[in-house]
């Protein structure tokens, strides 16, 4: 995932908090508590306190935040410069951000609301499903594959976007009244402090340092022309599009871990939505390193070698004798495991001993989950 920042002035990079974006991630944590083990208590208590009518309406629309995170939660990023989007600033309250959502035209709102149907074409500009018959039919077809409630929502949205927009706004307002206002009062100071810290870090230490503080999965190239996010998802966008006002926004989230989300819709200001206060785990493994480790352990002979290497340190000749294979063959397998960072080597006299890095192997499960959910 890449963001073009060629020639972008540093003052156009902003760290800001967004109550509507945080509501979206909170709703995701309610719908997918397994993604957020540290929030089980909050999710259980909040779900138990919901009135049946609100719980039913949340279930009716949960595809907006369950499998994908709809861009309707970040309307500030979709406002054209002529409508006040140049600064890319968020609202201070849910009401202010819902007002920004109301200022999005129907085409942008519909495109953002239908994100759950178009993951493969998300980063590709095209005609609106409101005006293009072929795009409309395709949207309905994709919604039908997701389920009947998604199909019903899509039909209502395409037939009468104004009524659906009013329904969505009322839903978010009711969430704010029912539970989120109290939640926001609790987490907003922490998020504001993090945004201030990152802003100062950017000002005094530079972009590379502030990116690493946001997430080790973010890097900038030497020429400061491109930011890369190490994710399984692929996409590209630009922070120098004058139609939405050149700029890049970073939005912290108290509910976000392990997700690191990048808004990269065409014609929208790019936004990096990052978690704060993540569990005290090692930094996320790069995607390529995780692939190397998974592939290294997938070979049956290397799995068998690991049985010995997990228990003690062995020489190449000992492993060859134990499995009745040649020493060069053992060396080839060990080379793969070492390249993946799963085996350590030390010398004892004239012997070279190899041993499995048990801690690295033990982290594979959490590394895998964090990588696919990032």
């Amino acid at each position: 995932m890449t963001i073009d920042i060629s020639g972008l002035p540093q003052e156009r990079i902003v760290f800001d908090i967004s109550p509507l974006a945080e509501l979206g991630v909170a709703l995701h944590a309610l719908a997918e508590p397994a993604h957020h083990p540290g929030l089980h208590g909050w999710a259980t208590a909040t779900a138990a306190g919901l009135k049946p009518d609100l719980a039913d309406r949340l279930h009716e629309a949960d595809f907006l935040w369950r499998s994908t995170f709809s861009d309707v939660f970040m309307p500030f990023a979709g406002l054209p410069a002529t409508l006040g989007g140049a600064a890319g600033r968020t609202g201070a309250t849910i009401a202010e951000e819902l007002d920004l959502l109301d200022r999005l035209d129907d085409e942008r709102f519909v495109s953002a609301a239908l994100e759950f149907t178009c993951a493969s074409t998300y980063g590709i500009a095209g005609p609106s499903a409101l005006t293009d018959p072929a795009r409309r039919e395709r949207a309905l077809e994709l919604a039908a594959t997701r389920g009947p409630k998604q199909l019903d929502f899509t039909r209502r949205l395409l037939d009468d976007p104004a009524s659906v927009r009013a329904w969505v706004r009322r839903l978010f307002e009711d969430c704010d009244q029912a539970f989120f206002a109290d939640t926001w009062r609790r987490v907003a100071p922490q998020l504001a402090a993090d945004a201030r810290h990152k802003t100062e870090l950017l000002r005094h230490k530079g972009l590379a340092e502030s990116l690493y503080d946001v997430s080790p999965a973010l890097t900038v190239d030497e020429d400061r022309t491109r930011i890369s996010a190490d994710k399984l998802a692929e996409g590209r966008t630009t922070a120098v599009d004058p139609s939405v006002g050149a700029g890049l926004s970073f939005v912290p989230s108290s509910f976000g871990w392990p997700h690191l989300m990048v808004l990269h819709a065409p014609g929208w200001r790019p936004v990096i939505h990052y978690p704060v206060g993540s569990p005290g785990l090692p930094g996320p493994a790069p995607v390529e390193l995780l692939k190397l480790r998974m592939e290294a352990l997938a070979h049956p002979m290397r799995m068998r070698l690991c049985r010995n290497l997990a228990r003690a340190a062995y020489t190449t000749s000992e492993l060859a004798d134990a499995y009745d294979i040649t020493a060069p063959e053992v060396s080839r397998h060990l080379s793969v495991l070492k390249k993946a960072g799963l085996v350590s080597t030390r010398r004892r006299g004239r012997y070279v001993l190899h041993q499995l890095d048990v801690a690295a192997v033990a982290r594979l499960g959490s590394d895998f989950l964090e990588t696919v959910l990032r």
Side-chain angles (χ1 to χ4, degrees):
M1 191 78 69
T2 61
I3 303 172
D4 177 18
I5 58 168
S6 304
L8 183 69
Q10 187 162 291
E11 58 269 19
R12 292 286 189 173
I13 300 174
V14 298
F15 288 85
D16 217 343
I17 64 173
S18 166
L20 186 57
E22 190 71 348
L23 171 61
V25 185
L27 291 173
H28 172 76
L30 279 177
E32 291 286 2
H35 290 191
H36 307 271
L39 298 173
H40 280 175
W42 175 87
T44 300
T46 300
L50 293 177
K51 292 181 178 180
D53 172 67
L54 179 56
D56 289 344
R57 284 185 289 147
L58 287 176
H59 176 70
E60 187 178 346
D62 66 1
F63 48 84
L64 292 176
W65 53 78
R66 181 186 287 271
S67 58
T68 58
F69 185 77
S70 173
D71 292 342
V72 299
F73 291 105
M74 295 187 180
F76 67 90
L79 287 173
T82 55
L83 292 180
R89 305 307 300 213
T90 60
T93 64
I94 286 286
E96 287 184 17
E97 295 211 300
L98 291 177
D99 288 344
L100 295 178
L101 184 61
D102 287 343
R103 291 166 63 187
L104 290 180
D105 60 39
D106 282 346
E107 285 74 16
R108 282 181 181 257
F109 181 89
V110 168
S111 175
L114 291 182
E115 183 182 336
F116 70 93
T117 69
C118 59
S120 62
T121 58
Y122 172 84
I124 303 173
S128 169
L130 286 175
T131 57
D132 183 82
R135 194 68 176 259
R136 175 190 173 93
E137 287 306 309
R138 182 59 174 160
L140 290 169
E141 178 186 345
L142 291 171
T145 66
R146 302 301 300 166
K149 66 179 181 181
Q150 289 91 329
L151 178 59
D152 178 65
F153 176 87
T154 302
R155 282 176 175 157
R156 289 190 290 117
L157 179 65
L158 295 177
D159 290 341
D160 188 4
S163 67
V164 173
R165 295 182 69 154
W167 184 88
V168 168
R169 174 165 185 143
R170 178 63 183 272
L171 175 64
F172 293 163
E173 288 173 337
D174 289 349
C175 287
D176 188 47
Q177 182 177 2
F179 67 90
F180 186 71
D182 290 338
T183 299
W184 181 247
R185 279 192 290 270
R186 175 173 57 84
V187 304
Q190 175 199 19
L191 299 182
D194 186 84
R196 287 193 300 269
H197 167 70
K198 299 289 196 297
T199 299
E200 289 302 306
L201 198 62
L202 175 64
R203 184 178 302 160
H204 298 294
K205 298 289 187 179
L207 182 59
E209 189 97 7
S210 60
L211 285 178
Y212 187 83
D213 200 55
V214 169
S215 169
L218 296 174
T219 56
V220 62
D221 61 4
E222 291 183 1
D223 297 330
R224 199 183 175 279
T225 60
R226 184 178 64 183
I227 291 174
S228 298
D230 187 38
K231 292 167 60 75
L232 281 174
E234 296 183 3
R236 58 179 57 86
T237 186
T238 178
V240 290
D241 182 354
S243 67
V244 290
L248 169 63
S249 294
F250 289 82
V251 176
S253 170
S254 179
F255 288 85
W257 188 88
H259 307 303
L260 175 70
M261 295 174 283
V262 181
L263 190 163
H264 60 285
W268 288 58
R269 177 188 181 96
V271 181
I272 295 178
H273 199 188
Y274 65 93
V276 300
S278 58
L281 297 174
V287 171
E288 288 304 316
L289 177 59
L290 180 66
K291 288 170 61 179
L292 278 176
R293 289 179 169 176
M294 303 275 291
E295 291 167 359
L297 294 174
H299 193 284
M301 177 52 70
R302 289 195 284 272
M303 291 257 315
R304 295 175 68 192
L305 291 174
C306 285
R307 183 176 183 276
N308 287 65
L309 296 170
R311 289 166 167 78
Y314 285 84
T315 66
T316 300
S317 59
E318 285 177 316
L319 293 169
D321 289 341
Y323 291 101
D324 195 25
I325 58 178
T326 66
E329 189 174 355
V330 171
S331 294
R332 286 194 294 271
H333 287 305
L334 289 175
S335 177
V336 173
L337 291 168
K338 282 188 280 189
K339 186 177 180 182
L342 296 174
V343 165
S344 60
T345 300
R346 72 178 189 273
R347 181 173 291 277
R348 188 180 65 196
R350 64 190 184 89
Y351 298 103
V352 177
L353 300 174
H354 311 279
Q355 190 163 15
L356 191 69
D357 186 339
V358 176
V361 177
R363 287 199 304 269
L364 273 176
S366 60
D367 283 347
F368 175 78
L369 284 175
E370 185 169 352
T371 299
V372 297
L373 293 175
R374 193 183 304 159

